[in-house]
């Protein structure tokens, strides 16, 4: 059974610093990996999707890498801003019907 | 751009009552997923539909049932509600079978509170 882990559970950085969020998964046979942002009590906003054949994806200040062999993905957020404060979840697609296995998330606080 | 629509956004029910949650996928998306997120927990997959047929099933209680209609909207029916059913229920949609590489787009969720 696929297990997805995110460490650390919480992270606080001053504005302007780069953020590095880690996601690890136990079964390397994934179809893709998605990163989401969730504000308190709100829905999930998809940030980046990395296909299993890709090594990284970029969107603006966000860059996500994927290393299937080591079971790891990393989300980098450059030049963090207070508006980046949220919980970030990664989710692995591990079956052909689209069931996502989520990590518990990393709660990020960016202080002005 | 159109997003996934869920209704109602908030729902308060008593124990043993019934609740129906609705999901309207992004236009031309034919796959719908339901997830449950308990307080302080990560989302857990409940059930999915592709072309109106159930395609996968997760840890969904027997008290829950769901279906996808001809217009691709989906409904999650929950009976004999328990306190532990209080959670945020998400619907997501994707444009294909949800298999190789399809991105899932999530709705804002329905917050169900069972008293």
């Amino acid at each position: 059974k696929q297990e997805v882990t995110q460490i650390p559970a919480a992270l606080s950085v001053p504005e302007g610093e780069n953020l590095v969020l880690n996601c690890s998964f136990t079964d390397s046979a994934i179809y893709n990996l998605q990163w989401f942002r969730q504000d308190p009590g709100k829905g999930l906003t998809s940030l980046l999707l990395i296909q299993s054949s890709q090594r990284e994806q970029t969107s603006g200040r966000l860059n996500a890498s994927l290393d299937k062999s080591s079971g790891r993905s990393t989300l980098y957020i450059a030049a963090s801003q207070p508006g980046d404060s949220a919980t970030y979840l990664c989710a692995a697609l591990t079956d052909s019907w689209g069931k996502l296995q989520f990590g518990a998330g990393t709660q990020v606080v960016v202080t002005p | 751009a159109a997003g996934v629509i869920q209704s109602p956004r908030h729902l308060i029910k008593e124990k043993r009552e019934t609740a129906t949650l609705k999901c309207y996928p992004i236009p031309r998306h034919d796959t719908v997923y339901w997830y449950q997120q308990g307080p302080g927990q990560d989302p857990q997959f409940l059930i999915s539909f592709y072309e109106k047929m159930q395609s996968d099933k997760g840890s969904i209680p027997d008290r829950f049932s769901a279906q996808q209609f001809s217009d691709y909207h989906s409904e999650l029916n929950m009976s004999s509600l328990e306190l532990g059913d209080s959670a945020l229920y998400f619907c997501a949609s994707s444009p294909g079978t949800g298999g190789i590489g399809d991105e899932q787009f999530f709705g804002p969720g329905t917050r169900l509170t069972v008293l």
Side-chain angles (χ1 to χ4, degrees), chain A residues 10-108:
Chain A
L11 185 60
S12 181
V13 299
E15 182 178 2
E17 261 196 25
N18 296 332
L19 280 163
V20 180
L21 307 178
N22 299 302
C23 172
S24 62
F25 44 94
T26 55
D27 185 351
S28 62
I30 64 171
Y31 290 97
N32 64 39
L33 190 134
Q34 248 180 290
W35 282 93
F36 295 89
R37 169 187 171 134
Q38 185 173 31
D39 293 289
K42 304 294 186 183
L44 297 166
T45 301
S46 180
L47 298 174
L48 287 168
L49 170 73
I50 313 177
Q51 303 291 356
S52 63
S53 58
Q54 297 175 319
R55 300 275 306 176
E56 66 177 315
Q57 274 286 357
T58 299
S59 176
R61 294 185 295 113
L62 276 59
N63 174 277
S65 65
L66 177 64
D67 184 343
K68 282 180 56 178
S69 61
S70 66
R72 288 190 296 189
S73 177
T74 303
L75 177 67
Y76 301 88
I77 303 177
S80 62
Q81 304 167 0
D84 295 328
S85 299
T87 296
Y88 293 82
L89 297 102
C90 66
L93 181 64
T94 53
D95 73 37
S96 59
W97 292 110
K99 178 172 62 181
L100 287 175
Q101 185 68 43
F102 282 84
T106 295
Q107 185 176 11
V108 171

Side-chain angles (χ1 to χ4, degrees), chain B residues 7 9 13 17 22 26-28 32 35 51 57-58 61 63 66 71 79 85 92 96 106 108-109 111-112:
Chain B
S7 68
R9 294 292 308 278
K13 291 285 185 179
E17 284 191 324
K22 297 185 179 182
I26 293 171
R28 292 179 295 283
V32 168
Y35 291 84
E51 283 290 344
K57 195 172 181 180
R63 300 178 288 108
D71 63 351
S79 63
D85 297 328
F106 281 70
R111 181 168 296 283
L112 172 67

